[in-house]
Amino acid sequence: MPRIDVYRNVHMGQRARLFALAVELGAADDADPAAVERLAGECLAMTQELREHAGHEDTYIHPLLRDRAPAAADALDAEHLRLDTALAALDERARSLPKAASGARSEDRHALYLALNELISAYLAHLHAEETVAMPALWDRCGDDELAAMFGAFRASRTAEESLGDLRRMLPALPPADRAAVARATVEAVPAGEAGRLLDALATTLTPAQRARLYADLGAPEAWAALR
């Protein structure tokens, strides 16, 4: 049975959304100030999310990592320094873009695009360190009960709305089998009468093809439709 991986699924979701944001920002129409302002706002929302994610790791994962594998914790600390600089640079560019004059908007948008990609470069290195250094160290030095308790403490800290948002951001980036497993565990944890509505809420960020596959993998549409 696979061991608990506290990084894998959430990191897949983060990569997918960072890449999509970079593509959309790069192709944005500079003649549409509303679209450019929206993308600047999405960059700021992304940096806020990544900072909150780092805070969750610092609270629930890294104390155990620091205790059991201090060298791995030191490696992550070094990554955080580069990340903090890239996050601050992206924030500065994103805040200034909506104020740019129309003649300067194209260059300022491209500068934001470069800052976003610099963050992505730094963040990919950070994710790689967590997945290939920190998680193996935790597997090597911690029992499954400790990992489950750590992960359970984080999940208990999230409100129902926050947990739903976490899953909506993650599910589109997962392969079908993993997506179905996460969704199944989520809906089986609520009363039967709420399962169908919760599944519908989980599926809002999926493409039509992903949604159809998820419902098929879970025995839908008939079985789940009956639970709505």
Side-chain angles (χ1 to χ4, degrees):
M1 180 177 179
R3 300 194 66 186
I4 293 173
D5 190 328
V6 297
Y7 295 118
R8 178 175 175 170
N9 288 349
V10 66
H11 285 180
M12 291 181 71
Q14 288 175 342
R15 285 185 177 100
R17 286 179 294 108
L18 283 166
F19 297 158
L21 180 57
V23 171
E24 188 176 5
L25 181 59
D29 181 3
D30 298 314
D32 185 350
V36 172
E37 184 171 357
R38 175 183 62 80
L39 288 168
E42 290 187 13
C43 287
L44 291 170
M46 180 62 72
T47 60
Q48 179 179 348
E49 178 190 330
L50 296 184
R51 287 189 176 97
E52 290 175 354
H53 174 73
H56 299 153
E57 291 179 338
D58 287 343
T59 300
Y60 297 100
I61 302 174
H62 294 169
L64 183 60
L65 185 68
R66 172 69 60 188
D67 179 63
R68 304 297 174 83
D74 288 342
L76 294 188
D77 288 343
E79 292 290 339
H80 281 153
L81 294 176
R82 184 183 175 198
L83 268 181
D84 288 344
T85 300
L87 286 165
L90 181 57
D91 281 345
E92 182 178 358
R93 290 290 185 182
R95 291 192 182 102
S96 66
L97 178 59
K99 306 171 187 176
S102 58
R105 191 180 299 132
S106 178
E107 288 303 313
D108 284 6
R109 179 196 53 78
H110 189 67
L112 177 60
Y113 173 75
L114 295 179
L116 173 59
N117 280 278
E118 174 61 23
L119 171 64
I120 291 173
S121 175
Y123 203 66
L124 290 178
H126 176 69
L127 299 184
H128 186 71
E130 289 184 332
E131 293 165 351
T132 65
V133 177
M135 197 66 243
L138 288 170
W139 284 331
D140 185 54
R141 295 167 175 82
C142 301
D144 289 339
D145 57 338
E146 293 175 297
L147 296 177
M150 176 182 67
F151 193 47
F154 165 70
R155 293 178 64 181
S157 75
R158 306 293 280 166
T159 66
E161 183 177 357
E162 288 170 338
S163 296
L164 182 60
D166 293 341
L167 291 170
R168 282 172 169 163
R169 288 189 289 268
M170 179 194 311
L171 288 179
L174 302 184
D178 292 351
R179 185 184 306 126
V182 171
R184 182 178 294 108
T186 302
V187 298
E188 287 179 350
V190 302
E194 300 176 18
R197 287 186 292 273
L198 177 57
L199 182 60
D200 284 344
L202 286 175
T204 56
T205 54
L206 301 180
T207 67
Q210 288 176 329
R211 189 179 302 116
R213 173 63 184 272
L214 176 64
Y215 275 70
D217 286 344
L218 295 178
E222 293 80 6
W224 289 103
L227 297 176
R228 292 188 178 88

